[in-house]
Amino acid sequence: TCKFLRMDAEKAPFFIDKLKIRTLPALLVFHDGKAIDRLTGFEGLYTNGDPDKWHTGRLQEWLALTGAIKYTPPTEEIQAEIRRLGLRPTGSVWSGTT
């Protein structure tokens, strides 16, 4: 089970200090009460050199790598069928026609 918590950094200085958060946004993944991974800013999510432009599919992949969520990428056969239907890949997520 994965749960998400959004916290206002200005209203939670104790947690910000305790978790050693220095850059926002920050995403921490906990397992059994211990932080096992963290994403600072949009580090590793953007591909074109612009940290303001990234696809949520990259976040999905990162969360899956940490074990926070289960994600199985579509097989080549499924990808071919999706393309046949006129959908296009954007990151790791498939969206409507162009």
Side-chain angles (χ1 to χ4, degrees):
T1 302
C2 181
K3 297 178 183 179
F4 290 87
L5 170 71
R6 181 175 178 251
M7 191 178 301
D8 185 335
E10 290 181 357
K11 294 180 181 176
F14 171 79
F15 287 109
I16 300 305
D17 187 51
K18 178 99 172 140
L19 298 171
K20 297 180 174 76
I21 296 172
R22 301 291 176 249
T23 303
L24 296 176
L27 180 63
L28 283 74
V29 176
F30 288 85
H31 183 73
D32 292 332
K34 295 181 181 178
I36 59 168
D37 211 339
R38 79 172 44 217
L39 184 68
T40 303
F42 297 111
E43 177 182 298
L45 296 182
Y46 58 93
T47 55
N48 297 333
D50 185 352
D52 292 329
K53 292 183 181 177
W54 55 275
H55 200 278
T56 55
R58 305 267 308 175
L59 180 59
Q60 177 184 20
E61 291 170 346
W62 182 83
L63 286 168
L65 286 173
T66 68
I69 64 170
K70 292 181 181 176
Y71 169 70
T72 305
T75 64
E76 283 296 322
E77 182 180 346
I78 292 173
Q79 288 182 29
E81 178 64 13
I82 291 171
R83 283 189 196 92
R84 189 188 67 73
L85 293 171
L87 300 175
R88 62 179 172 79
T90 307
S92 65
V93 177
W94 295 79
S95 59
T97 58
T98 54

